[in-house]
Amino acid sequence: DELIYMLRKLLLNIGDLPAQTSHILFNYLVGLIMYFVRTPCEWGMDAISATLTFLWEVVGYVEGLFFKDLKQTMKKEQCEVKLLVTASMPVHGQNECDIPTQLPVHEDTQFEALLKECLEFFNIPEAQSARYFLMDKRWNLIHYNKTYVRDIYPFRRSVSPQLNLVQMLPDKGQELIQKQIFTRKLEEVGRVLFLISLTQHIPAVHRQSHVSMLQEDLLRLPSFPRSAVDTDFSLFSDPQGKELFGLDTLHKSMWIKLLEEMFLGMPSEFPWGDEIMLFLNVFNGALILHPEDSALLRQYAATVINTAVHFNHLFSLSGYQWI
């Protein structure tokens, strides 16, 4: 945290970064993220989220950085998220010498279902179920019951994530869950900001191909648009719930900004089909989830107007029933 703070302060005072400096800094920051991905530790997720929230500020000064090349590099380094249709996840009981149970995981499987299966498998009474939580064996991080398994684990054929069933006080478990959700939300905000910055600074001649690839990748994501509008309302009443609520509002705002950048980078005569609803649902979902936020309301209205003007042929034919 102190390192990121100093780098942010340096950038704030210097202003524009020289090209060579930005390249070196970008490479080191990406390397730092790769290190923590491959070498899990208790505070690794915090380090990754903190790095991502600064990385996007450096991207604008890096010349010759393209989404396609970056994606291929991340894939080669096994840091790109890959999702398989099905996978099995071993879960250990309190005694790790026990044979773990193998739980099937599908696209809509939540950790709540895994926890229920584990409690039944290890014969734990329902009265004590509130004291048990699932934790990642490698990262030693707790999982929120309402989180989708696919959103956390990029399953690969050669790697099987493992979970531990642990017992702790419910209040302590909720505190760890809230901290974990906050970190993951902050991490996603950093990733979205990274894409926004990359899109804004892409050379005009490559902009259309960049946004087309971005659109195709988003459509291929099984978690889109759900991940863009997911909100953990049940955690807002807990301690630090106000901070989590504010971060969630920022998260929705950044997604709107990213999709607006994507829309405006596409040709106005783009042949949209029904898939445009997936993107517009992010706008609508953000407004429904946070209707009391005046800043988000203004952003929503401006984005919808810009989108309707840009794709005027589409909205003139289909009307405005999507909004």
Side-chain angles (χ1 to χ4, degrees), residues 102-127:
Q102 296 285 338
L103 301 177
V105 176
H106 307 287
E107 293 297 341
D108 57 349
T109 302
Q110 294 178 313
F111 284 103
E112 186 176 29
L114 300 188
L115 179 60
K116 184 179 178 181
E117 291 285 342
C118 291
L119 294 175
E120 293 177 358
F121 181 83
F122 295 111
N123 298 319
I124 295 172
E126 187 176 350

Side-chain angles (χ1 to χ4, degrees), residues 168-215:
M168 67 177 70
L169 293 174
D171 290 344
K172 178 64 176 176
Q174 283 299 112
E175 181 184 343
L176 292 175
I177 285 173
Q178 191 177 45
K179 182 178 181 297
Q180 178 67 7
I181 292 296
F182 186 91
T183 302
R184 291 197 180 279
K185 189 78 72 174
L186 185 63
E187 183 182 320
E188 183 165 345
V189 168
R191 285 196 295 265
V192 174
L193 281 168
F194 177 83
L195 274 178
I196 292 173
S197 183
L198 191 62
T199 304
Q200 289 175 337
H201 294 92
I202 205 81
V205 67
H206 299 290
R207 188 175 177 85
Q208 187 172 330
S209 61
H210 166 80
V211 296
S212 296
M213 179 174 289
L214 178 60
Q215 182 234 8

Side-chain angles (χ1 to χ4, degrees), residues 122 204 247 275:
F122 295 111
L247 183 62
E275 71 274 7

Side-chain angles (χ1 to χ4, degrees), residues 71-115:
K71 183 181 174 182
Q72 290 176 347
T73 303
M74 293 296 102
K75 185 176 181 179
K76 183 180 178 181
E77 297 294 335
Q78 296 185 346
C79 289
E80 186 198 28
V81 175
K82 290 184 180 180
L83 300 177
L84 301 179
V85 177
T86 57
S88 290
M89 178 182 299
V91 181
H92 295 266
Q94 290 178 275
N95 182 4
E96 292 194 17
C97 296
D98 294 339
I99 299 175
T101 175
Q102 296 285 338
L103 301 177
V105 176
H106 307 287
E107 293 297 341
D108 57 349
T109 302
Q110 294 178 313
F111 284 103
E112 186 176 29
L114 300 188
L115 179 60

Side-chain angles (χ1 to χ4, degrees), residues 245 249 287-295 297:
F245 178 82
T249 306
L287 181 65
I288 292 171
L289 291 169
H290 297 285
E292 77 292 336
D293 192 284
S294 58
L297 177 60

